[in-house]
Every structure is written in structure tokens, then in C-alpha cells.
């Protein structure tokens, strides 16, 4: 871009130089008219070349906050099957809009430790959450046994919100294939419990937060 501007300046200087050279050689009214025409032509050439080499900027109109919010609420107002189908047909920009709007929403919950005071509670495994691909998260995941009944408990938990976040337990390091879906995340912030029942709780090694419609992993915690 800057090189093209320099070339344009050089062209204009050459025309002006030629004008004065001719003026000194052939003084007179006729030459003055010719010289004036040369100056006008040189200026026109200068701006023409400048425009030819200057990049044309095309500004894409941004999605307004109101429009993005309407699209988000329309999306979350669908049933789960329709959301899955809609997400599969979205462009990357449309998906990004929904994800961004979801991240603005905070849902809080506070559940106490499962069981009662006279029930034995044992921590089978636990681990700290780590965010994936820029999603922020903090907190601890624990697999608990309450009188032999299994629970997954999230404590001091906070995560970047997203559309249809589900909680999974996986036996294979975070891969949700063959994992146990514990249902939709109850809140993007706060302590919460997920019933496991009498499944083999010792076989699971990772807790995962996963967006169902967009197939995006938000966070995981390795359980040891």
C-alpha cells in the first residue's frame, strides 16, 4: 500500500517537472494552456492511481445485541431435538453468536451434601476442573458413596455458561463416547449433586462439562 502511494507521488513529480521544463523552453500563452492541461491531467492521474492501489474496505454490519439476544432465546426455547437439528445447520458465525449470548447468562444453585447426618459419606475419587479451548472454569468434582449409593458432586463450581451444557462421567479420559450422561448442568455456578445410583462408580475417571447441540467440550476434571 505504501509503495503504491510512493509511486503515485513520483508520477506527479514527473509531470510537474516536465511542465516547468517545457515552460522554460517555450514561453508563451499557448504553452501556459498546454502546461495547465498537463497539471490537471497529472493530478487526475495521481488520484486515479491512488484509488486503484488503495484497498477497498467492505464493512460487514455487526449483529446487534438485541438481535443476538433474540436468536439466543429463540434457540433455547426449542425442545432438545429441535435444538440439535438447528445447531447442525448453523454457520460458524451463527454458532458463535449463540455461544456468546449463552456465556452472558449466569445460573446459580446451591445444593447441600447428599444424604443425611447419620449416613456414611465416602469420597471415592476427586479432581479439579480445568477449562478447555478458552472456557473458564473452577471448582472440584467428587464421586461420593453415600451408604453405597453413588453421587457426583460439584463444589465451589463456576463455569462459562453455554447452550445445553450436560454433565458426563467418562471411563476413558474425557471422551464422552460410552460415557454416562448425568443430565443437563443444574447451574453455571454453585454446589450441585448428580445421582449415580448403584453403577460401578470406581470405573469413572473423568467428569466432563459438554455442550450437547454444538458438540463442544467446556471443561473436565481428572478424578483420582
Amino acid at each position: 500500500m505504501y509503495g503504491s502511494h510512493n509511486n503515485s507521488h513520483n508520477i506527479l513529480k514527473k509531470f510537474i517537472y516536465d511542465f516547468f521544463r517545457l515552460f522554460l523552453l517555450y514561453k508563451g500563452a499557448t504553452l501556459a494552456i498546454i502546461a495547465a492541461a498537463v497539471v490537471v491531467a497529472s493530478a487526475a492521474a495521481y488520484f486515479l492511481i491512488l484509488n486503484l492501489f488503495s484497498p477497498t474496505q467492505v464493512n460487514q454490519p455487526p449483529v446487534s445485541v438485541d438481535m443476538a439476544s433474540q436468536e439466543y432465546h429463540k434457540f433455547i426455547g426449542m425442545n432438545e431435538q429441535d435444538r440439535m437439528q438447528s445447531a447442525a445447520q448453523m454457520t460458524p458465525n451463527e454458532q458463535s453468536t449463540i455461544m456468546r449470548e449463552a456465556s452472558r447468562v449466569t445460573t446459580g444453585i446451591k445444593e447441600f451434601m447428599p444424604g443425611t447426618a447419620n449416613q456414611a459419606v465416602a469420597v471415592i475419587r476427586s479432581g479439579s476442573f480445568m477449562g478447555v479451548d478458552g472456557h473458564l472454569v473452577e471448582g472440584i468434582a467428587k464421586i461420593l458413596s453415600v451408604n453405597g449409593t453413588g453421587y457426583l458432586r460439584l463444589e465451589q463450581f463456576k463455569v462459562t455458561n453455554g447452550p445445553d451444557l450436560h454433565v458426563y462421567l467418562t471411563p476413558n479420559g474425557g471422551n464422552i463416547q460410552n460415557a454416562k450422561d448425568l443430565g443437563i448442568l443444574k447451574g453455571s455456578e454453585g454446589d450441585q449433586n448428580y445421582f449415580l445410583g448403584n453403577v460401578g462408580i470406581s470405573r469413572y475417571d473423568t467428569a466432563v462439562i459438554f455442550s450437547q447441540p454444538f458438540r463442544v467440550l467446556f471443561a473436565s476434571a481428572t478424578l483420582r
Side-chain angles (χ1 to χ4, degrees), residues 6-158:
N6 290 334
N7 290 337
S8 301
H9 285 295
N10 291 335
I11 292 170
L12 180 57
K13 288 178 181 178
K14 184 177 185 303
F15 276 117
I16 295 172
Y17 172 80
D18 290 341
F19 159 66
F20 283 108
R21 183 170 61 83
L22 291 173
F23 184 81
L24 293 174
L25 291 175
Y26 306 100
K27 295 179 181 178
T30 302
L31 181 60
I33 294 172
I34 296 172
V38 170
V39 171
V40 172
S42 65
Y46 170 75
F47 287 109
L48 176 62
I49 294 171
L50 185 64
N51 288 333
L52 284 174
F53 286 95
S54 296
T56 302
Q57 295 184 352
V58 178
N59 294 322
Q60 295 290 342
V63 178
S64 70
V65 174
D66 288 343
M67 185 180 298
S69 179
Q70 289 174 10
E71 290 300 315
Y72 169 70
H73 284 93
K74 178 182 176 181
F75 180 78
I76 64 173
M78 301 175 182
N79 61 47
E80 185 173 359
Q81 182 177 359
D82 288 343
R83 281 197 298 270
M84 296 291 285
Q85 292 177 352
S86 177
Q89 296 170 359
M90 285 183 181
T91 66
N93 283 340
E94 290 171 335
Q95 291 185 4
S96 178
T97 297
I98 299 298
M99 295 281 275
R100 184 175 60 251
E101 289 302 305
S103 70
R104 302 177 190 273
V105 179
T106 299
T107 56
I109 188 171
K110 183 174 180 60
E111 292 185 331
F112 295 102
M113 185 76 72
T116 60
N118 61 349
Q119 290 181 309
V121 177
V123 178
I124 307 302
R125 289 187 176 188
S126 67
S128 297
F129 275 103
M130 297 186 65
V132 179
D133 293 336
H135 297 109
L136 302 179
V137 68
E138 57 188 63
I140 301 170
K142 296 179 178 179
I143 292 183
L144 305 177
S145 176
V146 182
N147 276 5
T149 300
Y151 291 87
L152 174 69
R153 178 168 171 81
L154 311 185
E155 291 184 345
Q156 303 170 20
F157 180 75
K158 184 176 182 180

